[in-house]
Structures are given as C-alpha cells and as structure tokens.
Amino acid sequence: MNQETELRASIVKWGRSIFERGLTSGSSGNISVRLDDRFLMTPTNSCLGFLEADKMSLLDSNGTLLSGDKPTKELPLHFAFYRSRPAAKAVVHLHSTYATALSCLEDVDCNDAIPAITPYVVMRVGNVPVLPYTKPGAKDAEPMIFAKAADHAAILLGNHGPVVAGRSLEDAVFIMEELEEAAKLIMITRGMNVRLLNQTHVNELNRAYPLK
C-alpha cells in the first residue's frame, strides 16, 4: 500500500471515528492531509461518517483540483494553516458542541479561550485564540488564521467552531479531542469557583512537554 492509499484510508477511518463519537454531525466538518506537495481533502457536503477513499479531493499546492470530488468550501482555512505551519501534516475542522459553544460567548478571552484547567490541555493544545466571525468558506478568515497559526496549533473561529493542525492526522484528531474536552469542562464549570493551574505549573508542563 503506497502513502497516498494509506492516507486516504486514514481519513476514512478517523472521519468515521469523529462522526460516530458525536464530535461533528450531518455534513459538517472537514479533514485534510499533506502529501508531499499535494493535499488530500474531504469533499464538499460529505459526511465524515461515510467517506469514500476514492472520492477524496486531491489538490495541488495552489488548491487546483487534480482528481476526486469538489473539495470542501473551507479549503482557505486549511491552506492558511499549512502555509503558516510548514511542519503541519493534517488539519481538522469540526463543529464540535462545546468548542463551538465557547466560540459564541461574548465574554470569552479572544487571546486564549481555554485557560489551564487541566495539564493535558496545556501539554497537547496550548493557547487557543478566537477569531472574529467570518462567513464559512470566505477568504476573509485566511489572513487571520495565517497570522495566528504559526504560534497556535488550535484556533476557534468565532460563532463557527474549532480548527487544529497536527504533525499527523492522528495527532490532529487527538489535539481536537483534547480541545473539545477542555471546552466542555470550561462550559460546565462556568460560574463556579474553578481552581486553574498556576503559572508555575504551566511553565513546568511547557518545559517537559514543549508544543511544536
């Protein structure tokens, strides 16, 4: 099995896993992976639970469709991440419930929507900025994502949902899962006297588990 075939199968596997665990619904959410100087991406209006490997959109580095079905309209946000993070091998964008809810709050800290509520969100996700709302698929979001993505593996799109990049598709999915779990904890403890990790704890974790 060659690399492209393996990556197509991996997208199908992780897409089904994401869908079956309720991290996205209907035809929402999209996945892409880098294949040397080309990219595989889930097609527009496709359900992550029922992807077909041979219908994946294969794109060149300019976003031109080489084969497969028409790609997701969210192509600009994927390419913004890849351009800003050369080491990124995969990008995942979902409408997961708690992270999306967090992106809709007026009083959220737009510089870091996920405070250090657990060691794992510090170790695996890092700071999560929130970008202003833009129409889904609009190119307006591209320069904003590009500006933030170099220093942030995870971003919340205002009133829209999370997008993350990873060193592999598995890595990106795990970052997304940790982000969603942390967002859930933030949402269900709102209004409570939460004990966050202090800066000493955060610094210790950052030294032991530096994010790349």
Side-chain angles (χ1 to χ4, degrees), residues 11-158:
I11 294 172
V12 171
K13 179 184 75 173
W14 285 110
R16 182 184 302 116
S17 175
I18 287 167
F19 179 79
E20 290 179 349
R21 287 178 294 130
L23 291 171
T24 205
S25 60
S27 61
S28 67
N30 32 81
I31 297 170
S32 68
V33 296
R34 189 197 298 265
L35 179 65
D36 299 322
D37 59 346
R38 296 173 297 159
F39 298 86
L40 283 167
M41 197 168 292
T42 51
T44 187
N45 292 321
S46 58
C47 174
L48 295 189
F50 301 93
L51 296 171
E52 297 179 53
D54 60 347
K55 292 188 176 181
M56 295 296 171
S57 309
L58 180 65
L59 309 165
D60 67 15
S61 58
N62 297 314
T64 302
L65 183 64
L66 301 175
S67 66
D69 290 353
K70 182 180 178 181
T72 171
K73 64 179 175 292
E74 301 288 13
L75 185 152
L77 68 86
H78 288 256
F79 271 61
F81 256 102
Y82 287 123
R83 285 198 298 272
S84 188
R85 297 179 72 86
K89 297 296 184 182
V91 173
V92 177
H93 166 51
L94 301 180
H95 300 167
S96 54
T97 302
Y98 288 95
T100 302
L102 199 59
S103 80
C104 297
L105 296 179
E106 186 69 34
D107 61 349
V108 70
D109 182 352
C110 289
N111 293 314
D112 187 12
I114 307 285
I117 195 167
T118 70
Y120 302 99
V121 75
V122 175
M123 293 158 53
R124 297 174 182 168
V125 183
N127 291 353
V128 183
V130 184
L131 299 184
Y133 170 79
T134 56
K135 180 182 175 183
K139 285 187 172 290
D140 301 19
E142 194 170 358
M144 292 190 288
I145 292 172
F146 180 83
K148 293 289 187 181
D151 298 317
H152 303 279
I155 291 172
L156 290 181
L157 307 175

